[in-house]
Amino acid sequence: MFDRLEIRVLPPGPRFAAQLRFWVNGEDVVEGAVDAGGRGPFAADALPTGRPSPLQATSEARRVELGEPECTGGCCGFLSVVVQRFGDIVQWSDWEVPYALAATPPEFHFDARQYDTELARAEADRCWQVHT
């Protein structure tokens, strides 16, 4: 059975631009690994316009930052994962968690079609962009 990914965009706030949260099987992976005060990557960085998202899964393994604690990644480290496609499977593995935070997520395996569809949906929904 495959894991199921949902990408949510949190609207911009007083301290941060719009950011992403990654829900896998109904659980917020970022909050689970960096606590409630942490944040996910900025939506503009993870869902860029005019170039592929770093979340795009290819046969080449790539490490992607998914979050950081409230004190910032420069202080305690970032939550990151290796994203790689193996045929019809997208794998998230080899997690790195911020210093002193013990909640390391498990390895996830997504159906590549569901993963690609969810990423495309998140990339197409630009409602988080603030136009001045």
Side-chain angles (χ1 to χ4, degrees):
M1 184 153 129
F2 289 112
D3 295 296
R4 184 157 184 81
L5 175 67
E6 180 183 353
I7 301 170
R8 296 184 186 177
V9 179
L10 300 181
R15 284 185 59 202
F16 296 114
Q19 60 181 287
L20 298 186
R21 291 310 263 260
F22 305 94
W23 289 70
V24 178
N25 304 326
E27 300 290 327
D28 184 342
V29 174
V30 174
E31 184 174 310
V34 301
D35 292 327
R39 68 169 185 84
F42 292 127
D45 295 334
L47 304 172
T49 301
R51 68 181 204 275
S53 168
L55 295 164
Q56 188 176 50
T58 66
S59 60
E60 182 179 327
R62 130 179 1 112
R63 182 160 293 280
V64 179
E65 289 178 3
L66 298 184
E68 64 182 301
E70 187 172 19
C71 64
T72 77
C75 174
C76 294
F78 293 90
L79 172 67
S80 68
V81 68
V82 172
V83 177
Q84 187 170 11
R85 180 184 302 266
F86 297 96
D88 293 336
I89 299 171
V90 173
Q91 177 179 285
W92 282 12
S93 63
D94 300 316
W95 291 92
E96 290 183 2
V97 296
Y99 177 72
L101 297 174
T104 302
E107 191 170 281
F108 294 121
H109 298 93
F110 305 103
D111 174 81
R113 283 185 304 255
Q114 188 271 325
Y115 185 93
D116 292 343
T117 299
E118 179 59 11
L119 183 56
R121 183 203 60 76
E123 287 176 315
D125 183 1
R126 310 306 280 187
C127 67
W128 52 269
Q129 288 182 309
V130 177
H131 300 284
T132 56

